[in-house]
Amino acid sequence: MTDNENNFPQAPATSSLLEERHDAELFRVYSRILDGITDHNLRPGNKLTESDLCRQMTCSRSTVRSALSLLAHDKIVDLLPNRGAFVHVPDAKETQDVFKMRIALEETIINMLLEEENLAEKAKPLYALIDQEEAAFNRGDRVSWNRLSNAFHVELARLLNNDVLLEIVNTLCARSSLIIAVFDAPKDRLRHTYCEHREILDLLVEGKKARACKMMRRHLGQCQARLLRKFEAEA
């Protein structure tokens, strides 16, 4: 059952946070595949058959191929010679690399935000987003919860009005979502993400740079450590 069927506001899909790239039809197909992967409907390792995608999305094979090429560039899909396209399966090193970059980049975002005027006013929509995230968690809506958890980090970067930074953050968050799809599960998250998001935002609004950076490192670092333990256990 969807958010709308439950009379809850629609959680923003990963693609809705992106600036439209290329022509509208290509972006539509790219977005549909990306959202299927980041919502964990298309699992890591799943084959993406061009004919099936054309039928599902009512589009040409050339559009599907172009969308898959863009997703391969973004490390969301793997294109294997003579085998086709597959949802990317991340490994332990990629997990470390992605989360190290996120920690460094999101600390930089905190530092830049603290130079902004009227930060408390600009941050108000993020508090509403966190409230939606908490509500999604409490009603057991994992898709919306994952979307809103991802959206918090993207929207935090959006406050800086820097398109290049926003594109990088969105790509890293999408790759993080794919990594989480491999091994993570709701029961593994002992501390609810919305609690940590609210704490980070409170510290930012209060101008407590050191504590806000420390909380962000802890927030992302714990997720990284949990995922790496899973990789080690599976290995």
Side-chain angles (χ1 to χ4, degrees):
M1 190 172 287
T2 65
D3 286 337
N4 289 337
E5 291 170 328
N6 278 301
N7 297 318
F8 290 111
Q10 183 70 41
T14 300
S15 64
S16 72
L17 305 173
L18 293 168
E19 295 297 323
E20 186 167 320
R21 296 189 287 179
H22 311 284
D23 65 77
E25 179 66 1
L26 175 55
F27 187 75
R28 179 182 72 85
V29 175
Y30 172 96
S31 298
R32 284 274 302 277
I33 300 171
L34 175 65
D35 292 338
I37 293 170
T38 55
D39 285 348
H40 306 170
N41 295 320
L42 297 170
R43 304 290 295 177
N46 281 178
K47 185 169 185 177
L48 301 170
T49 306
E50 288 183 4
S51 57
D52 289 343
L53 293 171
C54 289
R55 184 173 59 256
Q56 292 165 14
M57 301 184 194
T58 318
C59 65
S60 68
R61 191 176 288 263
S62 63
T63 300
V64 166
R65 285 176 179 166
S66 296
L68 291 174
S69 293
L70 287 174
L71 288 160
H73 176 269
D74 292 341
K75 309 298 182 186
I76 304 297
V77 164
D78 292 326
L79 297 178
L80 305 181
N82 304 316
R83 293 186 59 198
F86 296 80
V87 179
H88 179 61
V89 181
D91 58 19
K93 184 180 185 304
E94 181 177 350
T95 299
Q96 283 187 310
D97 291 348
V98 167
F99 276 89
K100 280 182 179 178
M101 276 305 303
R102 281 196 62 181
I103 290 168
L105 190 59
E106 296 198 44
E107 278 196 64
T108 300
I109 289 168
I110 287 172
N111 289 328
M112 293 172 69
L113 281 171
L114 288 170
E115 297 175 0
E116 292 284 304
E117 295 181 358
N118 303 318
L119 181 57
E121 187 65 27
K122 292 178 181 178
K124 285 181 179 178
L126 273 75
Y127 280 109
L129 194 71
I130 294 166
D131 289 341
Q132 291 181 51
E133 183 187 353
E134 181 177 4
F137 176 86
N138 289 333
R139 68 177 182 264
D141 182 352
R142 188 183 182 188
V143 170
S144 292
W145 175 35
N146 279 326
R147 284 182 175 188
L148 290 159
S149 179
N150 174 73
F152 170 79
H153 294 272
V154 176
E155 295 303 327
L156 197 64
R158 195 188 300 277
L159 295 179
L160 292 168
N161 194 30
N162 185 314
D163 292 341
V164 174
L165 175 63
L166 186 63
E167 183 178 349
I168 295 169
V169 170
N170 216 326
T171 299
L172 286 172
C173 285
R175 292 179 69 177
S176 301
S177 183
L178 178 58
I179 292 166
I180 289 168
V182 177
F183 284 119
D184 211 10
K187 63 183 176 61
D188 297 317
R189 302 182 187 187
L190 302 178
R191 182 177 170 89
H192 306 325
T193 54
Y194 61 82
C195 297
E196 297 177 345
H197 290 162
R198 192 173 284 122
E199 187 172 348
I200 290 166
L201 199 56
D202 285 343
L203 292 168
L204 261 172
V205 169
E206 293 165 9
K208 297 177 179 177
K209 181 171 77 171
R211 289 181 61 187
C213 287
K214 182 179 179 180
M215 188 64 216
M216 183 65 83
R217 285 196 302 272
R218 177 183 174 186
H219 173 62
L220 295 174
Q222 285 181 337
C223 184
Q224 175 192 11
R226 182 176 63 249
L227 290 164
L228 289 174
R229 286 196 297 270
K230 292 294 189 67
F231 276 110
E232 291 168 3
E234 288 290 322

